Amino acid sequence: MPFSWLLLLFSLVLGSRLWVLSLEKLAGSHDDARCSQGLSCHLWDDVLCLLERIEPTKDPVLVPTKLQTEVVLRCREENNCVPCVRVILHLTVQEPRKEDPEEGGLREDAELTSRPWPRNESLHAKVIISFQAHLSDRCVLVEVEVPAAMVQPGQNVGSLVFDCFKAPVGGEVRIWSYTQPPYQKELNHTEQLPDCIRPELQDSVPSCWVLPWFNISAEGDAIQLVLDVSAEQNYVLFLYWNQTRNFSTRFHEVLTGPQNITLNQTDFVPCLCIQMWPNVQDAIRNSHCPFWEDPRAHKNLWDHSKLKLKFWGTTGLSWMVEAPCPLSAETVLCWKPRDSELCHPLPLPLPRENVTANKSQDLPLLTVQPNICVQVWSGGKLQIQECPQEDILGPLKDDMLLLETWGPEGRHSFCAMETSGCTPLPSTAHTRAALLGKQLLQDIQSGQCVQLWNDTGILWACSLQKYTHERWVLVWLAFLILTACILLLLLLNRDGMKGCLQFLKEDYRYGGAARGRRALLLYSPDHASLERLVATLATALGQLQLSVAVDLWHRRELSALGPLAWFHAQRRQALQDGGVVILLFSPGAVALCQEWLQEAGAAQPPAPTPDTFAASLSCVLPDFLEGRASGRYVVACFEQLLPPQGIPDLFHAVPVFSLPSQMPDFLRALVGPGKGHHDTWRAHATRVSQYLQPALEECVQLGSSSCL
């Protein structure tokens, strides 16, 4: 098989991206057209580019059905080349067609299609290939003949290759192809040619030899452009954001001689592109977009992206992500209960919407609720979350979200959305929704619930306010009765009275010691289940009157300051107020610590880190290495996820607690020694452990695929 046809075979697999791997060099300066085996071609040079009206046909005709291009180099000498666009057409025998007056177009005709093609007649076609660049256009005509034996209506008969159209470096060209006369709509394709940044063009294309060049230098967070040009050369430097439909200018100046230019962090995003050219008329431009895969640029992109919500009355809601670059992300609607910091993604059938940056999109809701928030996810991580402001829709409501679906034979089923999942109604489970299941179903039937969504299922929001009032009335009544009984018994037993007063005294002292004491909770975000477990632990400690700081609750502040600055501010505030730093170890945290310790031993500065735990190691590890950790840090781990022996020995210089088995000692360490009664600590530890159990079980059930 000839070499050119081998290249054609590869082009069918890789499409127009073949030039990314290597640019083929063609010798000579004459155009050429060739067909695949069995076909014959004859090239007529430049012709007029006339596109006529599509004509019907009574016989089978040969038409191009697929158009591909690839970039090659046409060379007079080894280092005297110009870029050139090769065109590849796939040819098919089309069925006879005639005009359809009712449809206003062409359609296949059964009578004509059934007529056999004479086996002794070959098929001829005149194929036009049209080329258009910025300042030039050309059309060539190729006559193609198909032998009678190969004429099979509806079948592909081979390919046509044309070499080639000269094109400008770094330019964009358009290719059309059709027959003369045309029997179908023309094919078209746009090809972006490589610029002089490619080494092959630098070495082989003379017009690239006079361009100014640049390199990129990175030192820490600083990104510099090193402009390597002669001292007397004048040139233009143009920095811009290459956005979907336009570009945004960031820098545009005429410069002279070598320069080092530091990029602004606000400009340093994946779509930042650099363009340089000599300061002369119609100069070739050298452009490059080198930051598409840079993780620092992607971090800056999300730091400078904003999610905005807009409301129209009680039914209209739209959202828009303002970002400097196109985003690879999706939006999710979530439900935020009044008594929770977490926002739970709404259950199916609500679809996830792909994000188009800087474009407003409507949300298909029947009624807008203050509990419904919008999340933007990318790379498996939550990047932005925005909820309605209180001055627009009011405060969060104490509502329960119910999902109604239809099963076989039209049977309706309901489930209530809770932290543990969607609880079927009615249910015998011991959850809030299960206890109120019958009343909630009656509220839906009586029209007291609000319909949020109606498609393949219905989402209902049912108020729990009246049930909350009824519950508290019963609770207060039970409390008063119980208090009266206890006082009566204690009056009959003075010794018991003294013991009770002593217990209340110790419990009050514990509350006073814990109230307002700061605790900074650090962890490694191995996965979403572990983040939910950490959020549950932080919430439980907060209910014990500890002032807990965790990055999950400070997304906006963390985005503004960055992980390292946020950690330093929280650590300084906690330690100045006599607080404590909690290091919660997981397999991911152990791996990060070991990596930092190895890099520190090799005297190599660690790479920039994207999360708070990894960023904090630059401060935490020196405290342990230099013996300053005692009294400042407490180390803990969940024994079902990581045994205490798995924690590096360096961190055993401070108390290490295995949770939940050592929960009483852990709580006592957070409050301080000598505070509280032993029974009080045990009771609080039991409540905290029970509160953590659902989230811990969810994490453990994921096994090695997520947690370990």
Side-chain angles (χ1 to χ4, degrees):
M1 181 179 292
F3 176 74
S4 60
W5 290 107
L6 282 174
L7 263 179
L8 175 58
L9 179 61
F10 280 113
S11 72
L12 301 182
V13 178
L14 299 177
S16 62
R17 293 177 175 264
L18 181 62
W19 62 268
V20 175
L21 301 178
S22 179
L23 296 182
E24 180 187 356
K25 290 187 176 181
L26 304 178
S29 58
H30 298 291
D31 295 339
D32 176 55
R34 56 192 183 278
C35 289
S36 56
Q37 187 174 4
L39 308 183
S40 62
C41 296
H42 178 71
L43 173 65
W44 296 87
D45 211 348
D46 295 352
V47 296
L48 291 177
C49 302
L50 299 177
L51 183 59
E52 303 171 1
R53 181 176 178 270
I54 297 176
E55 295 187 3
T57 174
K58 297 180 180 180
D59 298 310
V61 292
L62 186 67
V63 295
T65 54
K66 185 176 182 181
L67 187 155
Q68 293 175 281
T69 62
E70 60 185 66
V71 179
V72 297
L73 292 177
R74 167 160 282 172
C75 304
R76 294 185 177 181
E77 300 175 0
E78 179 65 23
N79 295 326
N80 186 7
C81 305
V82 293
C84 207
V85 178
R86 169 182 287 164
V87 181
I88 305 165
L89 293 175
H90 297 259
L91 305 174
T92 300
V93 177
Q94 180 177 280
E95 303 280 2
R97 290 176 146 190
K98 72 176 185 178
E99 287 186 306
D100 189 341
E102 295 183 1
E103 298 294 334
L106 301 178
R107 63 176 176 85
E108 290 187 6
D109 185 87
E111 179 182 350
L112 296 177
T113 303
S114 61
R115 183 168 58 187
W117 177 257
R119 304 300 294 179
N120 59 347
E121 292 187 18
S122 60
L123 191 62
H124 295 262
K126 294 181 179 180
V127 179
I128 300 290
I129 306 175
S130 174
F131 167 87
Q132 185 179 57
H134 177 54
L135 296 176
S136 65
D137 55 10
R138 280 186 64 196
C139 281
V140 297
L141 184 149
V142 182
E143 287 190 359
V144 182
E145 180 180 359
V146 182
M150 295 179 62
V151 177
Q152 296 291 334
Q155 300 295 319
N156 182 281
V157 294
S159 303
L160 161 66
V161 178
F162 171 74
D163 284 331
C164 58
F165 293 112
K166 294 181 182 179
V169 175
E172 184 178 271
V173 300
R174 291 192 56 118
I175 309 290
W176 289 269
S177 181
Y178 49 91
T179 57
Q180 192 180 61
Y183 300 113
Q184 64 176 15
K185 185 175 176 59
E186 73 276 7
L187 304 178
N188 66 82
H189 177 74
T190 301
E191 178 72 38
Q192 178 67 52
L193 275 81
D195 51 38
C196 289
I197 201 70
R198 282 183 63 97
E200 291 174 272
L201 270 66
Q202 294 178 25
D203 298 335
S204 304
V205 179
S207 59
C208 289
W209 299 345
V210 297
L211 286 176
W213 296 104
F214 62 86
N215 293 304
I216 299 171
S217 173
E219 296 182 3
D221 292 334
I223 307 296
Q224 281 193 334
L225 296 182
V226 181
L227 309 179
D228 184 15
V229 299
S230 60
E232 67 280 359
Q233 185 174 9
N234 293 331
Y235 57 95
V236 181
L237 176 63
F238 178 42
L239 304 182
Y240 62 97
W241 286 342
N242 187 14
Q243 297 170 330
T244 304
R245 296 185 178 179
N246 53 13
F247 63 86
S248 174
T249 301
R250 315 311 300 169
F251 183 92
H252 191 184
E253 281 192 23
V254 178
L255 304 174
T256 302
Q259 301 279 347
N260 288 349
I261 297 179
T262 301
L263 299 180
N264 293 328
Q265 286 296 317
T266 54
D267 296 337
F268 180 46
V269 291
C271 61
L272 178 64
C273 297
I274 306 161
Q275 197 172 84
M276 296 176 62
W277 65 93
N279 190 24
V280 296
Q281 189 174 4
D282 297 331
I284 295 176
R285 300 191 178 193
N286 173 20
S287 59
H288 192 33
C289 302
F291 305 114
W292 284 112
E293 305 298 330
D294 194 307
R296 297 166 301 179
H298 280 275
K299 179 182 180 300
N300 276 353
L301 172 61
W302 286 111
D303 288 346
H304 294 92
S305 298
K306 296 180 181 179
L307 175 60
K308 292 191 174 182
L309 306 182
K310 188 175 181 180
F311 301 90
W312 296 281
T314 59
T315 59
L317 171 60
S318 65
W319 59 269
M320 181 174 67
V321 178
E322 293 183 350
C325 298
L327 298 171
S328 175
E330 60 183 12
T331 56
V332 179
L333 293 182
C334 63
W335 179 266
K336 187 175 183 180
R338 188 177 65 176
D339 55 352
S340 174
E341 292 292 334
L342 300 178
C343 195
H344 308 284
L346 292 180
L348 295 175
L350 285 178
R352 293 193 170 205
E353 299 286 346
N354 291 329
V355 172
T356 301
N358 306 312
K359 179 181 178 182
S360 180
Q361 293 182 262
D362 295 331
L363 293 175
L365 293 175
L366 300 178
T367 304
V368 178
Q369 285 280 104
N371 302 65
I372 292 182
C373 305
V374 181
Q375 295 178 334
V376 179
W377 289 76
S378 177
K381 291 186 176 181
L382 174 61
Q383 302 291 351
I384 314 176
Q385 175 177 305
E386 191 69 26
C387 298
Q389 298 179 359
E390 287 193 12
D391 58 351
I392 298 178
L393 298 180
L396 296 177
K397 296 182 179 181
D398 188 15
D399 288 359
M400 180 69 69
L401 190 66
L402 273 64
L403 174 63
E404 179 183 358
T405 55
W406 299 272
E409 301 178 359
R411 294 182 179 178
H412 292 241
S413 61
F414 295 85
C415 71
M417 188 172 178
E418 297 185 284
T419 305
S420 57
C422 213
T423 304
L425 297 181
S427 173
T428 57
H430 299 288
T431 65
R432 189 183 187 189
L435 295 175
L436 298 173
K438 292 183 179 180
Q439 293 94 320
L440 293 174
L441 295 178
Q442 291 174 358
D443 289 346
I444 290 179
Q445 294 177 356
S446 61
Q448 299 183 46
C449 298
V450 178
Q451 192 177 113
L452 306 181
W453 168 270
N454 188 351
D455 193 355
T456 55
I458 301 178
L459 281 176
W460 298 93
C462 300
S463 175
L464 300 179
Q465 188 172 7
K466 61 180 179 179
Y467 303 114
T468 303
H469 290 168
E470 293 175 0
R471 183 182 63 181
W472 281 113
V473 170
L474 295 176
V475 168
W476 276 109
L477 182 60
F479 175 75
L480 292 175
I481 294 174
L482 181 60
T483 303
C485 293
I486 292 175
L487 290 176
L488 180 59
L489 291 174
L490 293 178
L491 287 175
L492 298 175
N493 185 351
R494 293 185 178 180
D495 293 336
M497 184 70 172
K498 292 180 180 179
C500 181
L501 292 175
Q502 179 66 24
F503 178 81
L504 292 175
K505 179 180 179 182
E506 292 293 336
D507 190 52
Y508 174 78
R509 290 175 57 197
Y510 157 73
R515 184 178 295 111
R517 192 184 189 201
R518 294 187 178 275
L520 173 59
L521 178 56
L522 300 176
Y523 69 100
S524 173
D526 297 1
H527 44 77
S529 296
L530 184 58
E531 288 186 333
R532 286 193 290 272
L533 179 58
V534 170
T536 306
L537 174 62
T539 302
L541 296 179
Q543 292 174 354
L544 296 179
Q545 302 182 23
L546 284 165
S547 179
V548 182
V550 62
D551 58 2
L552 288 170
W553 298 346
H554 298 269
R555 295 287 195 189
R556 194 182 300 273
E557 183 180 353
L558 189 67
S559 175
L561 297 178
L564 187 58
W566 181 86
F567 161 74
H568 278 296
Q570 295 294 334
R571 175 180 176 273
R572 180 173 59 253
Q573 190 173 8
L575 297 182
Q576 285 178 351
D577 296 343
V580 64
V581 179
I582 306 171
L583 299 179
L584 184 61
F585 273 86
S586 63
V590 172
L592 282 172
C593 290
Q594 291 174 346
E595 179 182 348
W596 274 75
L597 289 171
Q598 291 173 359
E599 292 178 348
Q604 180 181 359
T609 51
D611 60 77
T612 307
F613 183 84
S616 69
L617 291 178
S618 62
C619 182
V620 171
L621 287 175
D623 283 349
F624 279 87
L625 291 171
E626 298 172 11
R628 300 193 303 266
S630 180
R632 297 181 172 186
Y633 294 86
V634 169
V635 175
C637 65
F638 288 101
E639 56 205 15
Q640 293 174 274
L641 306 180
L642 177 72
Q645 298 82 3
I647 299 175
D649 294 339
L650 175 66
F651 296 94
H652 286 265
V654 300
V656 177
F657 299 101
S658 180
L659 305 180
S661 61
Q662 294 181 325
M663 186 65 74
D665 296 333
F666 175 66
L667 297 180
R668 188 180 295 109
L670 296 184
V671 177
K675 304 284 178 32
H677 192 271
H678 179 74
D679 292 336
T680 303
W681 287 116
R682 186 173 298 277
H684 285 303
T686 301
R687 287 196 295 271
V688 173
S689 300
Q690 292 174 348
Y691 188 72
L692 289 173
Q693 195 61 30
L696 181 57
E697 287 179 354
E698 176 189 353
C699 193
V700 172
Q701 286 174 0
L702 294 178
S704 60
S705 63
S706 296
C707 295
L708 299 180

